[in-house]
Amino acid sequence: MKKFLTVAMALIIVCGVSFADTKDQKEIRKERQEITKLAKKELNTKVGKVVKKEAKRLKKEGWQVKPGALPLDKQLERAYLMQYEYDKDLFPKYIMGEASSVGESYDAAKTAALSLAITNLAGQIQTEVTALIENTVANKQLDPEDAASVVESVMASKNLISQSIGRTIPVMECFRINSKKNNEVLVRIAYNSEMAKQAAKKAIRQDLEEKGKKLHGQLDQVLGF
């Protein structure tokens, strides 16, 4: 399933690779800066155009919502508006995860999709935290050697981050019936950024401690605690 407004986020390869911002990261930060400068009316107009195009595509592919649920375009509008919110460090105010799954029953497909979405969410948190580390090193706020250790733990902690994720916010839910008459459910969930940082911190700290590395202060600095 094509991600909404996906961008290629460059991951750091530990050891031997510079932590300076990549071209992709710079472009992402520039795009986020431009979005934060938009007036509410301008942002709503921008979102409206994207939503209209995306809703048309999804409906053409057979996606629909359950009776009583918000219309698909309204769900998409909420998802985009949340995705376009950033804090002063250009860290998303909400981390978004999405996934789809097929099952004989709607509930089974939805449960599987939610589980996959949480895994996807953990990957998004990994990417955002890695970008924060890149930025702190580029701004000379963190020693490259310490940063390498933290990044190594970030990249090893996806499962731990998944386990640390608490209550998520349902943002979008739709379904379609495939050719085999099975239910395919697509979900999109959001997670508060501060809670995301806490989940990442817990997982990364556990990995660092298992490796005998005491970098709590540096970790707090990266995550803004």
Side-chain angles (χ1 to χ4, degrees):
M1 179 67 199
K2 178 184 176 183
K3 285 189 173 66
F4 307 108
L5 292 180
T6 51
V7 288
M9 297 288 284
L11 299 179
I12 300 173
I13 301 177
V14 181
C15 302
V17 177
S18 170
F19 281 87
D21 277 358
T22 64
K23 180 179 179 181
D24 284 339
Q25 285 290 353
K26 288 180 179 179
E27 289 178 349
I28 290 166
R29 291 184 67 82
K30 182 179 179 181
E31 177 184 299
R32 291 180 177 181
Q33 286 173 334
E34 291 173 350
I35 289 172
T36 57
K37 291 178 182 177
L38 290 177
K40 185 176 181 180
K41 183 178 179 180
E42 293 175 311
L43 181 58
N44 286 337
T45 299
K46 179 182 178 69
V47 168
K49 291 179 180 179
V50 176
V51 165
K52 185 176 180 180
K53 182 178 179 181
E54 190 67 25
K56 182 178 180 181
R57 181 184 68 81
L58 289 171
K59 289 174 182 176
K60 186 177 181 180
E61 292 176 357
W63 294 99
Q64 56 186 302
V65 299
K66 296 278 281 186
L70 279 176
L72 189 56
D73 55 344
K74 291 298 183 182
Q75 293 190 37
L76 284 169
E77 182 179 22
R78 179 174 61 177
Y80 279 118
L81 287 173
M82 292 176 72
Q83 188 168 330
Y84 281 151
E85 291 188 64
Y86 305 105
D87 64 18
K88 59 181 177 60
D89 297 315
L90 299 183
F91 192 89
K93 288 188 177 180
Y94 297 97
I95 308 295
M96 315 294 284
E98 73 169 55
S100 63
S101 185
V102 176
E104 291 185 3
S105 71
Y106 186 95
D107 288 343
K110 179 181 176 180
T111 298
L114 285 171
S115 178
L116 290 171
I118 288 175
T119 300
N120 178 268
L121 191 65
Q124 298 298 319
I125 293 172
Q126 270 187 328
T127 301
E128 292 294 344
V129 171
T130 299
L132 276 181
I133 297 169
E134 286 186 305
N135 195 49
T136 56
V137 174
N139 293 331
K140 298 181 180 180
Q141 296 173 303
L142 190 64
D143 181 84
E145 185 175 344
D146 289 340
S149 294
V150 176
V151 169
E152 185 178 16
S153 290
V154 171
M155 303 314 293
S157 300
K158 185 173 182 178
N159 288 336
L160 291 174
I161 292 173
S162 293
Q163 294 167 16
S164 299
I165 290 174
R167 185 184 296 274
T168 60
I169 305 169
V171 177
M172 180 180 165
E173 180 182 328
C174 56
F175 76 101
R176 62 184 176 183
I177 306 299
N178 65 18
S179 58
K180 295 182 179 180
K181 305 301 180 182
N182 287 327
N183 290 271
E184 183 177 3
V185 177
L186 169 67
V187 297
R188 185 167 177 78
I189 57 177
Y191 198 51
N192 178 274
S193 65
E194 291 306 310
M195 293 175 68
K197 290 178 183 179
Q198 290 285 2
K201 179 180 177 180
K202 180 179 178 181
I204 298 165
R205 177 171 287 183
Q206 180 177 332
D207 188 75
L208 285 170
E209 289 177 348
E210 287 175 355
K211 295 173 182 177
K213 297 178 179 178
K214 305 295 183 181
L215 297 172
H216 296 178
Q218 292 87 334
L219 185 58
D220 288 344
Q221 181 179 344
V222 168
L223 298 179
F225 296 120

